[in-house]
Amino acid sequence: MKVFMEWTYVTPKKKETVWTSKEMEVSEAITFAEDIEKTGRVKQLLFYDARGVAWTKKELIKLMKEIETEPHDVIAYFDGGFDRQTKKAGIGIVIYYKQDGEQFRIRANAQLDELQSNNEAEYAAFHFLLEQLEHLGVHHLPVVFRGDAHVVLHQLSSDWPVFSDEGRWVERIERKMKRLCISPIYEPIGRKENSEADQLATQALRGTMIRSTIQLERKR
C-alpha cells in the first residue's frame, strides 16, 4: 500500500505552511513521519491513500497491523480465449498475495458457453478474477491487475472509449470493484508475461478445470 504525506509546518513565529511528499510505501512514510515529528514544528500530519482517504499516523499503523493478517500486496493476472467452432470460452486467473508474512498463489479457470467473442471472454475473465478476490477477502486495498488484453485494461482505466458491446461488462466490473473498495492499478503486459493465465484459459477450453492455492517459498 502506498500513501503520500501532508503536514502543516509551524515556524517559531507561528507562521504556517503545508508540505506534501511524493507517494511511497507506508513503512517508509511512517519512518519519515516519525523523523519529522522530532522537529517539534508539526501542527498536523496526515497520510492519503490511493482513494484520497486521509489517515493519522496512529490510524495508519493500526490499519497496517490489521492488513498483515489479511491478503495484501495483491498482483492479479487474467486471460480469456474463445473457440468460434464450439462457441465456448475458457478463462484463467492467477493471484499472488501476501498474508501473515508469507506469499501465496492462487490459480483457477472456468469454461463458459454463453459468450460471443474473444473480447467478451477477456472481460469475463476479469470479472471472474474479481469474484476470486472477493472470495479471498480482498477489500479496501490497491490491487495490480495485469493482462495482455490491452483493450480491456485501457477501457477500464477510461483511457479508451467503451462501446455498447463492452458497456455491460464494464458496468458489472466497476460495480463489484466499488463494492470491494479496490483501488485498481492497471498494467498491460505482453502474452509471454501472461503465460500462466493464458495456459489456464487454454486448459479450460480443453475441459481441464484447475483450482489450486499454494504457499510460495521465500527468496533467499
Side-chain angles (χ1 to χ4, degrees), residues 94-124:
V94 184
I95 302 171
Y96 290 90
Y97 66 97
K98 294 179 182 177
Q99 187 172 13
D100 293 322
E102 303 293 341
Q103 187 167 4
F104 299 87
R105 183 194 69 190
I106 292 175
R107 298 169 70 240
N109 64 1
Q111 187 181 96
L112 307 174
D113 56 12
E114 70 272 16
L115 306 183
Q116 303 299 320
S117 67
N118 190 79
N119 197 46
E120 194 175 7
E122 296 282 12
Y123 270 107

Side-chain angles (χ1 to χ4, degrees), residues 10 22 24 75 90 106 120 133 140 171 173 182 189-190 208:
V10 183
K22 66 177 183 179
M24 64 187 80
I75 300 177
I106 292 175
E120 194 175 7
L133 290 174
H140 294 85
E171 289 178 3
I173 288 169
I182 287 176
I189 58 176
T208 302

Side-chain angles (χ1 to χ4, degrees), residues 28 93 100 109-110 127 163 181 188:
E28 185 181 11
I93 63 97
D100 293 322
N109 64 1
H127 189 267
F163 301 101
C181 294

Side-chain angles (χ1 to χ4, degrees), residues 8-219:
T8 303
Y9 179 85
V10 183
T11 69
K13 293 184 179 180
K14 304 303 179 183
K15 290 186 177 181
E16 298 182 7
T17 187
V18 178
W19 299 87
T20 304
S21 76
K22 66 177 183 179
E23 190 179 60
M24 64 187 80
E25 294 293 337
V26 170
S27 58
E28 185 181 11
I30 291 175
T31 298
F32 275 112
E34 290 174 343
D35 194 60
I36 291 169
E37 287 175 332
K38 292 177 183 178
T39 65
R41 302 292 186 208
V42 179
K43 180 178 181 180
Q44 179 176 264
L45 179 59
L46 295 173
F47 303 81
Y48 290 87
D49 62 22
R51 294 176 293 121
V53 177
W55 305 81
T56 65
K57 190 180 76 171
K58 182 178 180 181
E59 290 171 339
L60 194 59
I61 290 174
K62 180 181 178 182
L63 173 68
M64 296 314 295
K65 287 181 179 179
E66 293 173 351
I67 287 177
E68 190 64 26
T69 63
E70 298 179 356
H72 60 281
D73 288 358
V74 182
I75 300 177
Y77 297 78
F78 71 99
D79 196 36
F82 182 74
D83 189 323
R84 293 183 180 276
Q85 292 185 332
T86 63
K87 301 296 182 182
K88 292 185 181 296
I91 58 178
I93 63 97
V94 184
I95 302 171
Y96 290 90
Y97 66 97
K98 294 179 182 177
Q99 187 172 13
D100 293 322
E102 303 293 341
Q103 187 167 4
F104 299 87
R105 183 194 69 190
I106 292 175
R107 298 169 70 240
N109 64 1
Q111 187 181 96
L112 307 174
D113 56 12
E114 70 272 16
L115 306 183
Q116 303 299 320
S117 67
N118 190 79
N119 197 46
E120 194 175 7
E122 296 282 12
Y123 270 107
F126 195 100
H127 189 267
F128 178 66
L129 174 55
L130 286 180
E131 290 177 332
Q132 304 311 305
L133 290 174
E134 183 176 27
H135 180 72
L136 181 61
V138 175
H139 60 91
H140 294 85
L141 287 175
V143 174
V144 176
F145 292 99
R146 294 176 179 170
D148 57 73
H150 292 197
V151 172
V152 171
L153 294 177
H154 283 299
Q155 286 180 331
L156 288 173
S157 62
S158 300
D159 291 334
W160 292 1
V162 178
F163 301 101
S164 57
D165 291 344
E166 297 95 4
R168 65 186 183 91
W169 281 107
V170 171
E171 289 178 3
R172 289 178 65 188
I173 288 169
E174 289 181 342
R175 281 199 303 269
K176 184 172 285 291
M177 197 97 70
K178 185 176 181 180
R179 188 164 65 247
L180 297 176
C181 294
I182 287 176
S183 300
I185 302 168
Y186 300 114
E187 295 186 356
I189 58 176
R191 179 172 288 276
K192 289 185 178 180
E193 298 172 280
N194 203 34
S195 58
E196 280 189 296
D198 176 66
Q199 183 180 14
L200 287 164
T202 300
Q203 289 172 314
L205 276 174
R206 295 172 180 169
T208 302
M209 298 299 105
I210 294 172
R211 172 81 194 197
S212 69
T213 302
I214 65 170
Q215 180 177 328
L216 303 176
E217 292 184 5
R218 291 184 179 181
K219 293 182 180 181

